[in-house]
Amino acid sequence: MGDFGWDDGGLVGGRQGAAISMPNLLLLLKFEVAIRFESLNAMSVPIRHHFVPRFVLRKFKGESGRIFYVRKSDYRVRDTASTKKILQVEELYTTVAPDGTKDHTLEGFWGKIETSSGAVLARIESQLERNGSLSVSRDDASIVRDFLLMQFKRNPTYYDNMFPPAEVRRLYLESLEEIEIEIGRTISRVDVDRFFAPKRLGRNLSNARVGAMSMVSSELHAAFFNKGLAFAYIRRLPKSFVVGDYPFACLAASGLAIPNSEHWIVVSPRFAVTPYGSRD
């Protein structure tokens, strides 16, 4: 497998050097395009894809070695010794082609970022814990920015709310004439019903979500990587952060209106990080 990184257009494979581009939603749905530029061996990628890194979740284990959590479905408090089955969705970042072939590239990319950023963030937190002074190299700062960009983009709820099935159906039906011109034939009612069969629609929406997660516009990339970094460390016990399925601490002098609020990504009960100010 080649090396991966962000380029102006999106995720780039080191060997092929071709960015993943995100077709517009209609084209993706019409032709059921799966993102394919370098497949990972299915055996090398876990089935459970965490949208909050496990290195973050492990920091929230108590002295007993267990982590307590609450599900929104029933608000019952549970505890577990393993982070394997919490804040994850099976094959969340996998694309599936019409023939059933699976591509795990994005999960492999996220995994590489988690491995490098976990070590860097642990070093930074250790510095703050020991003496409060901080020295972050340019390379380490770049790795932290990769982590922040990953976390801002990877939460599934954001994408699911953008394109609920009812809205996708409305857009599709409104665009039938345009679609028929592009594909050169009339779309029958049977074809429409087949397209919106739950399994097929779910696959198409999942592929669209993964495509959107894989893409970074040149404007966003430049703006994000020209920001500086700010780190927060809580010293006064028993105050602490908590972490959830959307792992941000929203802080503001008054209210949470964007752009006045700051969105900090929680890394541990005492430690959080955010883009801030200027890189220089």
Side-chain angles (χ1 to χ4, degrees), residues 21-84:
S21 61
M22 173 59 179
N24 65 52
L25 178 64
L26 285 176
L27 283 176
L28 187 63
L29 293 177
K30 279 184 293 184
F31 300 113
E32 300 182 352
V33 176
I35 300 166
R36 306 299 304 280
F37 72 96
E38 179 155 357
S39 297
L40 301 177
N41 187 313
M43 297 300 293
S44 67
V45 179
I47 296 298
R48 294 185 175 94
H49 296 176
H50 286 76
F51 45 90
V52 176
R54 293 182 72 182
F55 79 79
V56 171
L57 296 177
R58 293 186 189 105
K59 296 286 187 72
F60 286 85
K61 287 187 175 184
E63 293 180 359
S64 65
R66 303 184 72 82
I67 185 170
F68 291 83
Y69 64 98
V70 175
R71 286 188 176 143
K72 293 178 180 178
S73 57
D74 58 15
Y75 290 95
R76 283 179 50 206
V77 177
R78 296 173 170 84
D79 68 291
T80 178
S82 172
T83 59
K84 189 175 182 179

Side-chain angles (χ1 to χ4, degrees), residues 141 144-145 148-149 152 222-232 249 251-253 259-265 272-280:
V144 173
R145 290 188 186 93
L148 292 175
L149 185 55
F152 278 119
F224 200 91
F225 281 84
N226 283 327
K227 300 286 285 184
L229 296 170
F231 302 94
L251 308 176
N260 297 325
S261 61
E262 298 172 1
H263 292 252
W264 293 71
I265 292 182
V273 58
T274 189
Y276 189 83
S278 171
R279 186 171 180 172
D280 298 328

Side-chain angles (χ1 to χ4, degrees), residues 232-242 268-272:
Y233 187 80
I234 297 176
R235 296 189 177 279
R236 184 180 301 174
L237 296 177
K239 300 289 186 181
S240 68
F241 294 114
V242 296
S268 81
R270 294 190 180 188
F271 182 46

Side-chain angles (χ1 to χ4, degrees), residues 12 15 23 70 72-73 90 134 142 150 185 206 209 266:
V12 174
R15 283 210 298 263
V70 175
K72 293 178 180 178
S73 57
E90 289 191 5
L134 188 61
S142 180
M150 173 184 73
R185 68 177 180 86
S206 178
R209 177 180 61 205
V266 175

